[in-house]
Amino acid sequence: ARAHRVPMVWYQSARHKMNQGNFASSESELHKALDLDPLDQRVHARMGMALYYLRNYKGAEIHYKTALSMNPEDYNTWYNLGELKYTLANRTWQSDSLKLYSREALRNFLQALSLERNHPKAHYRVGLLLNSNQQFKEAIDHFKKSL
């Protein structure tokens, strides 16, 4: 039990630093937690968040997918992976990449909603993506659910 508490001290410290907007320090604390327990799904999910905010999108995706391989029922990590793909879609000018990232974002947001049907932010993002696909009726349904 004591061995498990040590990584959690780093994890809690990382959460605190992330809440303060100190993502670099949060990442550092999470590395310490992962060094002690590389199989902690929560630490991988939180590392994904830290790396996302540090704009290390490849690293964030790796940690989100690692966390999901350990716990595929984690709707927040599905949502966060959707946010990552949505961000990438909004940062590209290439039509093929835009379509690919948008499709992946939609798939991730829908997976989050399949696990937590009352996730307002996921409904909102799905609404935005469906609206951009000119699926207006479906988009309106999701926008209403987001409210």
Side-chain angles (χ1 to χ4, degrees), residues 1-9 37 40 42:
R2 182 175 174 356
H4 186 69
R5 284 195 307 258
V6 174
M8 290 312 302
V9 168
D37 187 359
D40 191 319
R42 293 169 298 175

Side-chain angles (χ1 to χ4, degrees), residues 19-144:
N19 288 339
Q20 293 177 326
N22 191 341
F23 303 110
S25 290
S26 179
E27 177 194 12
S28 177
E29 305 288 273
L30 291 165
H31 277 296
K32 293 172 187 174
L34 284 174
D35 286 345
L36 295 167
D37 187 359
L39 299 178
D40 191 319
Q41 174 266 332
R42 293 169 298 175
V43 177
H44 282 285
R46 183 66 58 169
M47 179 66 85
M49 291 174 66
L51 294 174
Y52 171 81
Y53 287 113
L54 292 168
R55 296 187 177 152
N56 177 348
Y57 300 127
K58 288 184 190 305
E61 182 173 5
I62 289 167
H63 282 281
Y64 285 148
K65 288 183 174 179
T66 299
L68 290 168
S69 73
M70 296 175 185
N71 180 9
E73 304 295 309
D74 182 358
Y75 63 88
N76 278 320
T77 301
W78 282 110
Y79 173 81
N80 289 338
L81 184 57
E83 278 292 299
L84 169 68
K85 297 297 181 169
Y86 187 80
T87 297
L88 292 173
N90 286 318
R91 289 179 178 261
T92 186
W93 295 101
Q94 298 175 346
S95 176
D96 290 344
S97 294
L98 173 65
K99 289 177 188 173
L100 174 67
Y101 291 139
S102 295
R103 210 171 26 251
E104 289 176 352
L106 181 60
R107 190 174 323 126
N108 292 318
F109 291 134
L110 290 172
Q111 182 63 31
L113 287 171
S114 77
L115 298 166
E116 174 51 64
R117 62 185 180 96
N118 295 320
H119 195 298
K121 292 179 181 179
H123 278 295
Y124 180 73
R125 289 293 194 217
V126 169
L128 289 175
L129 289 162
L130 292 174
N131 188 62
S132 68
N133 290 341
Q134 297 185 349
Q135 294 172 270
F136 303 119
K137 182 184 179 315
E138 296 89 347
I140 290 170
D141 291 339
H142 281 280
F143 285 138
K144 286 180 180 176

